[in-house]
Amino acid sequence: MMVLRSLCALTVMLALSACGGVAARHNVRSNLVEKAGWQSGILKAGRFDIAASWSPVQRGENLFVYLEGDGLAYVNAYRPAKDPTPDDPVALRMAINDIHATGASAQPVLYLARPCQYTLPDDGANCNRKYWTIGRYAPEITDSISNAIDQIKQRVGARHIVLVGYSGGGALAVLLAGQRADIAGIITVVGNLDLAYWTKRDGLTPLSASTDPVTMAPDLGDTPQLHLAGGQDDAVGPDVTRAYTQALPASSLANMLVFDHYDHQCCWAQDWQKISQRPEFSRIPYWHGK
């Protein structure tokens, strides 16, 4: 039972809320993208195919990249999903509500799903259930996401990248910042940032094929960071975020905000424009145009 819990503890809550089949989950993204006037495509990004959506802005020095959460990893506490596409792409909704996506000074905004989300059955190279269970933060996943970012960065002519990661996407944002030199800042929302602490807290077997984001903390002291947590979040929780921030150097450029009445899903996307205009976001370079 402990092994099973280790595979699904973070994502089973989202999985149990899924109410439609794969086609319905794909349609949620398609409808959101179409309504926003965005475009979508599949990026051949190294080992994996990555589903991407992007705002209409074609060029810009600053690229704001949103990374999706773990998605529908499990159909119940015992059985991994055949397709990890989320039933509600929270990071996509946040991206569409990004304050940089529209207006006279709009900059490119990019949404990246996780490997195997929105790609099966027609694409989805190297999709293996390992990559949405014990290996959801594996090095090869980080490399593939980084490859996808490179492609769009070159396309739009960007110089600076700001990463916004929701849930498991927050973990990947930290991992990416640990290996790239062009990350201007990191924003995580209910991010699972310390796997060792989380698994120990809940008595879980570690995600053995994943890299723990907290191992990057000693090298990210100079990277501006803002980490948002929900006071009602019982999937990750503020203590996991705090365990990561405490591993940062004492001089780090990181800040943590706890939203007392928010949980793991509500109400980050619907309130994102209001949240992201708070003064604390000025700590992230280029967020407010600087």
Side-chain angles (χ1 to χ4, degrees):
M1 178 61 73
M2 182 173 288
V3 173
L4 290 171
R5 287 184 65 204
S6 72
L7 299 181
C8 66
L10 177 58
T11 54
V12 69
M13 293 180 60
L14 303 182
L16 292 175
S17 69
C19 58
V22 173
R25 286 183 271 140
H26 281 245
N27 286 339
V28 170
R29 170 176 172 249
S30 299
N31 292 338
L32 287 169
V33 169
E34 181 179 0
K35 183 177 180 180
W38 284 34
Q39 294 182 317
S40 291
I42 302 295
L43 303 178
K44 303 294 182 179
R47 184 176 181 86
F48 299 102
D49 299 331
I50 304 296
S53 300
W54 53 87
S55 64
V57 179
Q58 299 297 312
R59 303 289 292 181
E61 287 197 350
N62 307 319
L63 176 62
F64 299 89
V65 181
Y66 284 73
L67 305 173
E68 189 56 82
D70 293 343
L72 185 62
Y74 289 82
V75 295
N76 59 43
Y78 306 98
R79 184 159 59 96
K82 294 181 179 180
D83 185 320
T85 296
D87 65 307
D88 182 15
V90 175
L92 176 58
R93 294 182 187 273
M94 292 170 60
I96 290 172
N97 285 329
D98 185 282
I99 60 175
H100 310 95
T102 58
S105 58
Q107 294 285 299
V109 178
L110 171 66
Y111 164 80
L112 295 177
R114 302 280 284 280
C116 310
Q117 295 178 355
Y118 302 108
T119 59
L120 298 170
D122 296 332
D123 296 285
N126 295 303
C127 282
N128 182 301
R129 294 180 191 181
K130 160 188 170 182
Y131 291 119
W132 56 89
T133 55
I134 62 170
R136 64 188 76 173
Y137 315 123
E140 52 266 43
I141 286 182
T142 308
D143 290 345
S144 187
I145 295 290
S146 187
N147 183 305
I149 291 173
D150 285 339
Q151 292 182 46
I152 302 301
K153 178 187 176 184
Q154 182 177 15
R155 183 187 301 178
V156 303
R159 296 174 54 205
H160 315 113
I161 295 171
V162 175
L163 298 175
V164 184
Y166 167 73
S167 191
L172 289 179
V174 171
L175 295 174
L176 285 162
Q179 70 180 48
R180 295 183 65 104
D182 57 357
I183 304 302
I186 307 168
I187 299 169
T188 72
V189 178
V190 293
N192 196 14
L193 306 182
D194 189 332
L195 303 183
Y197 172 83
W198 172 59
T199 53
K200 182 178 180 180
R201 181 195 70 182
D202 292 347
L204 311 174
T205 302
L207 301 180
S208 58
S210 295
T211 302
D212 195 334
V214 77
T215 63
M216 300 292 174
D219 298 322
L220 293 178
D222 294 333
T223 302
Q225 303 172 52
L226 181 59
H227 303 288
L228 311 185
Q232 303 301 314
D233 179 8
D234 55 5
V236 176
D239 55 327
V240 175
T241 307
R242 193 170 293 110
Y244 166 80
T245 60
Q246 290 175 346
L248 291 164
S251 59
S252 73
L253 303 174
N255 193 20
M256 176 180 171
L257 289 176
V258 178
F259 290 72
D260 291 337
H261 302 295
Y262 285 42
D263 59 27
H264 198 69
Q265 287 183 283
C266 181
C267 303
W268 302 105
Q270 71 182 59
D271 293 348
W272 187 239
Q273 286 198 353
K274 179 179 67 175
I275 292 171
S276 63
Q277 294 184 72
R278 288 177 58 119
E280 291 88 352
F281 280 73
S282 63
R283 295 173 175 264
I284 304 299
Y286 313 110
W287 193 265
H288 288 154
K290 298 179 181 180

